[in-house]
Amino acid sequence: MAREFTSVGVVGLGTMGAGIVEVFARNGVDVVAVEISEAALERGRANLTGSTDRAVAKGKLAEADRDALLGRVNFQVGLAALHAVDLVIEAVPERLDLKQRLFAELDRVCKPEAILATNTSSLSVTEISVATTRPNQVIGIHFFNPAPVMKLVEVVRTVVTSADVVADVEALCARLGKVDVTINDRAGFIANALLFGYLNNAVGMLEARYASREDIDAAMKLGCGLPMGPLALMDLIGLDTAYEILDTMYRRGGRDRRHAPVPLIKQMVTAGLLGRKSGRGFYTYERPGSPKVVPDEQTPVATEAALVDGARAIAKIGIVGSGTMATGIIEVFARAGYEVVSVTRGAEKSAKVREAVKTSLNKGVVRGKLSEADRDAVLGRITWSASLEHLADVDLVVEAVVEELSVKKALFASLDEICKPGVVLATTTSSLPVIDLAMATQRPADVIGLHFFNPAPVMPLVEIVRTIRTSAETTATARAVCAELGKTGVVCGDRSGFIVNALLFPYLNDAVKMLEASYSTADDIDHAMKLGCGYPMGPFELLDVVGLDAALAIQRELYLELREPGFAPAPLLEHLVTAGYLGYKSGRGFRDHTHR
Ligand SMILES: NC(=O)c1ccc[n+]([C@@H]2O[C@H](COP(=O)([O-])OP(=O)(O)OC[C@H]3O[C@@H](n4cnc5c(N)ncnc54)[C@H](O)[C@@H]3O)[C@@H](O)[C@H]2O)c1
């Protein structure tokens, strides 16, 4: 029989504590909610009522239920009020000395059979537990932000946590409607160990002015389907908390430089820019605690006039290539009303691409998204050719041929000879340096990257890659064209992986390393990222879709260009590729797909 928890205590009513109180009270558990001072208690109460009021306003909680929920919470200053509770969860700031002192005090105040839990994200639960006389009753219960919304709880057992306590806490999580993964005590557990290197990397991009905050966030949301971008997430987590988590992970997790907090984070914390809770972090919020972003001096002007400012007029597009990307891009441009010249290496290939575009458009007709007349008009805008000479009068060329530097360079040299002056020459490369292609021409200022995502007609993102020679006019033209296509164009520098791949693949590689270290299972790791962080797919699901060989190739490029030791491809990934386990396309990757 699992233990009944009729009354629990929550210590610290900040970002996490207030949410944890709400989770318990919503599920009929009485809560003693404790803060350090009257002022902090009032802030904690406001955090809770703010959240429940928003739930009522959204129709997710009835007013009577909100009142009953709040009626279950007993707000108190000081730990003495916790003497009768069955379980305490601590959510005070992420500092070991603070938590150890708190646990020593809780040990004195709470009844002997009470379980003492920490919501720490990165500190050692074991080190916290030894501050008490009951380390076997100390456990980690790691909720995710916002606690009332995110389904995952990481239950962290130490080597001395008793099996009964683990089982009781697991049963409690189920009662709260949460999904738990039970794991050993390691820095960052599953989700944060995979998340924080990525967040820190994203802040590093901003600090290096590699891309703007809006573009970094839009890239990850639109390119990977994440619920929020990394900088918006940092604001939600709180920059002070994020700093402490990174710092602890750096020290506990083998001094991986990728966890050494990017200096900008510390500067922002010192300046009081803590994120949503202080009303300003990477973004500015309506008021402290509000989720609503308001414009500030960094907000780009999004008017149509600003978008086309300095852009060249583009009417006719040349698209070179006959693969998946070229096919999708031809469709995207022709559907947006541009006149398109498709150039392939022969009539046979042209016929193949033409069929593929037709098939895709026909699907749109069947689904009622396109009329037959529109389909015919789209096809009527495309000219099929096997000669680059037909690109003499286009305004923009998009190159989407095989990912080989020599081939692309030769093509750019030819385009330079054939195309009229003032043409924008774009490459869809996902891994080659755009500057190499620019320098194959006599007009590097006109060369830019337009990195579409697969399938191009569906994916809303385009990375606009400018080199150190790309002119402002060319960049403005690329932006205007993306807007015309109905895509979000994000501007970034000419570095391996651009924004999306540079942030995504190291995270996937880290997941493989975690699996390889037998810390957790592929299922639990996938669960943790989906239910704890709201990712649409777990890392192993995604790797099987992307293809392990493609992932390995990208990871190698990142490692070679950036020389970051933490980017070294996971040996397990290399072995799976060598073994021919490439994911869905080969029937087996991290999972077996042959029987599905
Ligand atoms: N922010 C997140 O996204 C997140 C997610 C999961 C876990 N966590 C973890 O939760 C814990 C709390 O983080 P947070 O982001 O909620 O911090 P926070 O700064 O928002 O809140 C901490 C609260 O603790 C109170 N406090 C400080 N000392 C106290 C004491 N001695 N007694 C009682 N209350 C005290 C403060 O007044 C404050 O209200 C940390 O261990 C953090 O790592 C945070």
Side-chain angles (χ1 to χ4, degrees):
M1 264 291 277
R3 185 195 304 219
E4 265 299 314
F5 294 93
T6 49
S7 157
V8 305
V10 175
V11 184
L13 307 176
T15 309
M16 288 311 291
I20 296 170
V21 169
E22 184 177 336
V23 171
F24 280 108
R26 257 190 197 221
N27 286 281
V29 182
D30 289 333
V31 186
V32 181
V34 171
E35 259 292 351
I36 196 165
S37 66
E38 285 294 344
L41 194 65
E42 277 322 300
R43 276 198 304 276
R45 197 196 296 267
N47 282 346
L48 179 62
T49 49
S51 168
T52 50
D53 286 351
R54 277 196 298 277
V56 170
K58 282 190 198 150
K60 290 186 174 166
L61 186 69
E63 273 188 42
D65 290 340
R66 178 209 35 210
D67 297 344
L69 184 164
L70 295 175
R72 281 184 207 109
V73 186
N74 171 11
F75 289 94
Q76 294 288 341
V77 172
L79 302 180
L82 299 169
H83 62 90
V85 300
D86 305 311
L87 163 76
V88 179
I89 299 191
E90 155 287 306
V92 304
E94 187 77 342
R95 292 204 319 271
L96 184 61
D97 59 329
L98 178 64
K99 293 198 194 260
Q100 283 183 323
R101 266 186 280 124
L102 181 76
F103 270 70
E105 192 56 33
L106 287 173
D107 191 32
R108 276 190 286 280
V109 170
C110 295
K111 59 187 185 186
E113 63 275 25
I115 294 174
L116 306 181
T118 172
N119 183 51
T120 182
S121 308
S122 57
L123 295 168
S124 159
V125 180
T126 315
E127 281 181 60
I128 294 172
S129 77
V130 294
T132 74
T133 58
R134 54 179 112 178
N136 59 336
Q137 282 162 245
V138 175
I139 192 164
I141 305 184
H142 184 230
F143 285 87
F144 285 77
N145 189 1
V149 179
M150 303 314 286
K151 279 250 168 275
L152 184 76
V153 174
E154 288 173 325
V155 173
V156 187
R157 60 174 169 232
T158 72
V159 284
V160 291
T161 311
S162 86
D164 287 357
V165 169
V166 174
D168 289 343
V169 167
E170 286 173 341
L172 175 67
C173 291
R175 180 176 158 202
L176 298 174
K178 299 291 183 191
V179 174
D180 87 273
V181 293
T182 301
I183 43 186
N184 295 334
D185 187 15
R186 200 177 101 160
F189 315 128
I190 298 176
N192 284 348
L194 297 181
L195 184 69
F196 272 83
Y198 148 70
L199 294 178
N200 205 32
N201 197 355
V203 179
M205 282 184 176
L206 184 75
E207 190 185 59
R209 297 177 192 275
Y210 177 66
S212 72
R213 63 178 184 191
E214 281 83 4
D215 281 359
I216 293 172
D217 278 352
M220 295 314 285
K221 273 172 71 172
L222 303 177
C224 305
L226 304 187
M228 58 201 320
L231 303 172
L233 180 54
M234 287 286 287
D235 275 359
L236 175 68
I237 291 169
L239 269 73
D240 49 347
T241 302
Y243 177 86
E244 295 296 339
I245 294 173
L246 280 165
D247 192 48
T248 311
M249 292 200 19
Y250 175 74
R251 282 185 281 108
R252 280 185 73 204
R255 300 195 179 255
D256 183 339
R257 275 199 321 186
R258 293 177 304 152
H259 291 137
V262 166
L264 178 62
I265 302 175
K266 186 63 185 272
Q267 289 160 28
M268 290 176 71
V269 172
T270 308
L273 309 179
L274 306 183
R276 276 192 198 182
K277 61 183 161 191
S278 71
R280 181 149 189 183
F282 289 105
Y283 295 91
T284 303
Y285 298 85
E286 202 170 32
R287 60 191 137 66
S290 164
K292 190 164 175 232
V293 173
V294 293
D296 59 20
E297 67 282 358
Q298 283 178 50
T299 307
V301 194
T303 60
E304 213 152 289
L307 255 180
V308 296
D309 193 21
R312 293 178 197 159
I314 302 286
K316 195 169 177 184
I317 320 284
I319 295 165
V320 188
S322 53
T324 314
M325 288 315 288
T327 309
I329 294 167
I330 291 168
E331 181 180 335
V332 167
F333 276 97
R335 282 182 80 155
Y338 288 100
E339 203 185 323
V340 173
V341 182
S342 156
V343 177
T344 67
R345 278 176 304 156
E348 208 177 296
K349 288 212 171 1
S350 274
K352 197 193 100 200
V353 179
R354 189 181 191 157
E355 270 320 297
V357 172
K358 241 193 207 163
T359 308
S360 173
L361 291 171
N362 281 337
K363 275 191 200 148
V365 172
V366 171
R367 290 197 194 120
K369 290 188 174 165
L370 194 71
S371 70
E372 292 196 6
D374 284 344
R375 173 200 58 199
D376 296 343
V378 170
L379 288 169
R381 283 195 280 274
I382 310 171
T383 313
W384 307 96
S385 163
S387 162
L388 290 174
E389 303 295 333
H390 284 117
L391 299 176
D393 65 342
V394 300
D395 307 307
L396 162 68
V397 178
V398 180
E399 163 282 307
V401 305
V402 66
E403 190 79 343
E404 256 175 51
L405 188 58
S406 57
V407 177
K408 289 196 195 264
K409 273 169 87 166
L411 176 61
F412 271 77
S414 306
L415 292 174
D416 191 25
E417 280 172 19
I418 293 163
C419 295
K420 65 184 184 190
V423 174
V424 170
L425 301 177
T427 170
T428 55
T429 182
S430 33
S431 61
L432 301 171
V434 179
I435 190 68
D436 277 336
L437 310 180
M439 297 315 286
T441 74
Q442 301 299 314
R443 43 175 124 181
D446 296 332
V447 177
I448 198 160
L450 282 180
H451 185 226
F452 286 81
F453 289 73
N454 190 17
V458 178
M459 296 297 286
L461 183 73
V462 178
E463 286 173 319
I464 299 173
V465 186
R466 57 175 175 210
T467 75
I468 45 173
R469 303 278 307 253
T470 306
S471 73
E473 202 180 304
T474 302
T475 308
T477 308
R479 271 186 191 278
V481 166
C482 288
E484 198 64 35
L485 295 176
K487 306 274 186 204
T488 298
V490 296
V491 177
C492 60
D494 185 18
R495 232 176 62 169
S496 181
F498 312 137
I499 301 174
V500 173
N501 288 354
L503 292 177
L504 177 68
F505 282 87
Y507 143 75
L508 295 175
N509 192 50
D510 284 346
V512 180
K513 288 183 185 168
M514 182 179 276
L515 182 70
E516 194 169 15
S518 300
Y519 178 59
S520 187
T521 63
D523 286 352
D524 276 357
I525 296 171
D526 277 351
H527 262 127
M529 297 316 289
K530 286 197 290 187
L531 302 177
C533 305
Y535 282 30
M537 281 190 217
F540 299 106
E541 285 171 328
L542 185 57
L543 279 162
D544 276 4
V545 170
V546 170
L548 274 57
D549 49 346
L552 178 62
I554 293 170
Q555 192 59 32
R556 274 193 186 136
E557 295 269 357
L558 287 170
Y559 180 52
L560 286 176
E561 176 161 316
L562 302 168
R563 314 283 167 116
E564 168 56 60
F567 285 175
L572 176 62
L573 186 61
E574 309 228 20
H575 292 179
L576 288 166
V577 171
T578 307
Y581 295 166
L582 307 182
Y584 274 96
K585 60 184 168 191
S586 73
R588 180 166 175 176
F590 284 96
R591 296 190 174 90
D592 187 350
H593 303 289
T594 47
H595 305 297
R596 297 188 189 182

